[in-house]
Amino acid sequence: MSVSGPDANLYVCGITPYDATHLGHAFTYVSFDMLVRTWRDGGLNVNYAQNITDIDDPLFERAEATNVNWRDLADSQIELFRTDMETLNVIPPNNWVAVSDVIEPLVAEVKELLADGRAYGLTEDGRTDYYIKTSDADYAAPHLKDIDLISVFRENGGDPDRAGKQHPLDPIIWKGVVGDDFQAEGARPGAWRPGWHIECALIGRDYLGNTVDIQGGGADLVFPHQEMSLLHMADFHPEVTVRGQMNTGMVAYEGHKMSKSLGNLVLVSKLLQRGFEPMVVRLALLGHMWDSDWEYTDEDLDRAERRLTRWRRANHTGGAGAEELLATVRARLADNLDTPGALDAIDEWADANEYNDDRDGAGLFRDMCQALLGVSLS
Ligand code: ZN
């Protein structure tokens, strides 16, 4: 999509650090990396913010179940994710913001909403959970019309059935307040936490300014997370404009969407341990359209391996016609980030020009692979 000026602002929903990095994650972040690279190639300054939900229930539950300190678990998983991303040549966000670093502004935001009468609390066993009022929200956006909103909200950790809520879809903005203390018994995991949707809205506003060109994440976040983050934005940051959404397709394995609950995760680190080159993994991901759902099989890696070998060979002994190839690849990426089309065009060029030696062309080809596709040929 076109952006508003010399700067392109991107917000992508990040990980909860307790089970990084499976191919579904990698597909999401490599897809956004392609957006960043394409924007940069078009001369835009990209401001990219991503959150890390390092204070969240599933993380606490995992820490308790495995008998490790939750902070140690979060830190080790953040480090693993960062290393995996670096290995896959994913350009890091300019602002990679952990929720634990924005607790104070989040508390201030919630207090302001309460003071304005736009939020309310429900108290149970001496603890209060705060909700934002969404009574006026009609959730009528066309992309939501086929979704059973209440069921999906419930399946994704929402609590539509809680007694006393003003609207079943009101999301939590802070959980576990004791008296005036938002961080009561702070050392005890799960005693309190901010709401997930409000944290993305706040980080987007504070790190990107008033125009967010793209709000992105995996397609499983469309509802409730992306929608409720947008709602928070529109409600308490009316000065912020979100211009578009980009939600990446889901990756399945053995017949089902890759998910922690099913345990059918293919971890990037495990593939690397099995001896696959990082660039093979990246090419396997780029072989699928960012907005398609697809099922991973070993054939994805085999195909990517053959492809990388072919490209390297062409780079050693070919090179002629690289400028025309660059124009074709740019055209494919300009067309809805068509990475499969770009990769096919390179295959064709590599086959046709394997022995048409042109060292300048080979240099241009190598630079294009590195800069535009994030694929190192060395
Ligand atoms: Zn988010």
Side-chain angles (χ1 to χ4, degrees):
M1 94 177 286
S2 64
V3 294
S4 52
D7 295 323
N9 293 330
L10 172 67
Y11 186 86
V12 177
C13 201
I15 57 161
T16 296
Y18 70 102
D19 233 344
T21 312
H22 61 71
L23 281 183
H25 293 136
F27 183 58
T28 293
Y29 300 109
V30 165
S31 295
F32 285 105
D33 187 54
M34 288 306 302
L35 177 65
V36 169
R37 289 173 184 275
T38 304
W39 271 347
R40 281 184 167 188
D41 186 51
L44 297 168
N45 300 314
V46 180
N47 300 321
Y48 179 3
Q50 191 183 117
N51 62 308
I52 305 167
T53 307
D54 62 346
I55 298 189
D56 201 8
D57 298 344
L59 169 69
F60 300 144
E61 285 158 16
R62 173 62 61 88
E64 203 172 316
T66 52
N67 207 19
V68 295
N69 175 282
W70 69 271
R71 189 68 255 173
D72 293 343
L73 173 65
D75 289 345
S76 66
Q77 291 293 308
I78 290 168
E79 184 53 26
L80 179 59
F81 178 71
R82 197 192 60 74
T83 310
D84 285 343
M85 290 298 103
E86 197 177 283
T87 308
L88 294 179
N89 274 352
V90 172
I91 299 169
N94 320 59
N95 295 290
W96 204 36
V97 186
V99 171
S100 55
D101 287 333
V102 292
I103 291 299
E104 292 316 318
L106 276 167
V107 169
E109 194 78 55
V110 174
K111 285 184 173 168
E112 201 179 312
L113 289 168
L114 284 165
D116 289 352
R118 287 189 286 164
Y120 61 96
L122 294 179
T123 304
E124 210 175 299
D125 300 332
R127 288 179 183 278
T128 305
D129 302 330
Y130 289 118
Y131 294 83
I132 190 164
K133 292 182 188 177
T134 59
S135 324
D136 296 335
D138 57 7
Y139 293 106
H143 67 282
L144 302 178
K145 73 175 171 24
D146 294 329
I147 302 177
D148 178 350
L149 300 178
I150 291 196
S151 303
V152 175
F153 185 52
R154 190 184 291 119
E155 284 159 19
N156 285 276
D159 53 359
D161 312 306
R162 182 165 182 184
K165 283 183 75 172
Q166 297 189 8
H167 187 289
L169 293 175
D170 288 350
I172 210 159
I173 49 177
W174 200 280
K175 178 187 153 186
V177 178
V178 177
D180 291 329
D181 190 353
F182 276 64
Q183 297 163 59
E185 297 178 44
R188 204 191 110 218
W192 58 266
R193 66 165 173 81
W196 180 28
H197 318 307
I198 196 174
E199 77 191 38
C200 280
L202 180 123
I203 293 170
R205 177 201 67 179
D206 287 357
Y207 289 85
L208 293 179
N210 288 350
T211 302
V212 178
D213 289 288
I214 293 282
Q215 175 205 35
D220 54 345
L221 303 185
V222 166
F223 193 85
H225 182 60
Q226 302 290 52
E227 197 61 26
M228 289 183 173
S229 294
L230 276 176
L231 198 81
H232 284 307
M233 280 272 195
D235 194 34
F236 59 80
H237 307 309
E239 70 285 8
V240 177
T241 307
V242 179
R243 302 181 73 233
Q245 279 190 341
M246 173 169 162
N247 296 293
T248 52
M250 295 288 101
V251 183
Y253 181 53
E254 294 174 336
H256 299 280
K257 184 194 128 183
M258 228 174 258
S259 75
K260 293 166 186 98
S261 51
L262 291 173
N264 59 340
L265 302 180
V266 178
L267 297 179
V268 169
S269 50
K270 289 277 165 17
L271 293 177
L272 301 178
Q273 278 166 21
R274 275 172 61 193
F276 290 103
E277 286 186 57
M279 292 304 100
V280 168
V281 177
R282 184 168 172 110
L283 277 173
L285 299 170
L286 294 180
H288 297 273
M289 271 306 281
W290 66 268
D291 54 356
S292 67
D293 295 333
W294 55 284
E295 176 155 359
Y296 162 78
T297 66
D298 279 348
E299 172 56 22
D300 281 292
L301 293 173
D302 294 342
R303 184 167 178 228
E305 211 155 40
R306 292 193 296 273
R307 187 165 243 164
L308 188 60
T309 304
R310 216 159 153 193
W311 292 12
R312 282 179 175 149
R313 205 183 302 133
N315 186 48
H316 282 303
T317 56
E323 280 191 27
E324 292 79 358
L325 174 67
L326 174 59
T328 306
V329 168
R330 280 182 166 148
R332 291 322 321 140
L333 295 178
D335 180 9
N336 194 28
L337 287 180
D338 176 12
T339 53
L343 268 47
D344 288 346
I346 296 175
D347 288 349
E348 239 173 73
W349 170 87
D351 286 351
N353 293 287
E354 189 178 337
Y355 298 111
N356 289 332
D357 188 29
D358 172 349
R359 287 303 83 203
D360 289 344
L364 178 64
F365 172 59
R366 204 166 44 246
D367 291 348
M368 176 192 77
C369 289
Q370 176 71 43
L372 204 44
L373 299 174
V375 175
S376 316
L377 294 183
S378 50

